[in-house]
Amino acid sequence: MEANIKALTGQAAIERYDEIARIVTGDQTASAQDGVQWVSDLVKELNIPSFSAHGMNEAHIPEAVQKL
């Protein structure tokens, strides 16, 4: 999510992430970065393991993307 936002900075599509942030945070002034922080906090709170905890690394990304 954070990488997508960085890639979209300055583009109209960033507004979608702003909207998601406003929905998940309940704050009508939230930005896309606030949404990233909210998701990050949720992942920590729920103790969701990272991809690397399951053995995934950068070499696996192209295969994972193809499966989407």
Side-chain angles (χ1 to χ4, degrees):
M1 187 174 174
E2 188 170 15
N4 288 342
I5 290 168
K6 285 179 183 177
L8 292 172
T9 299
Q11 297 182 32
I14 195 73
E15 292 175 12
R16 294 179 185 168
Y17 282 97
D18 289 336
E19 181 179 1
I20 291 166
R22 290 189 296 271
I23 291 167
V24 298
T25 66
D27 178 355
Q28 292 306 307
T29 64
S31 68
Q33 197 58 44
D34 295 322
V36 169
Q37 187 61 55
W38 186 90
V39 171
S40 178
D41 292 345
L42 181 62
V43 166
K44 287 177 189 168
E45 184 178 330
L46 296 177
N47 200 30
I48 297 172
S50 65
F51 289 127
S52 62
H54 296 284
M56 186 174 178
N57 60 44
E58 279 192 48
H60 296 105
I61 293 173
E63 180 182 355
V65 170
Q66 284 182 335
K67 292 182 178 185
L68 290 178

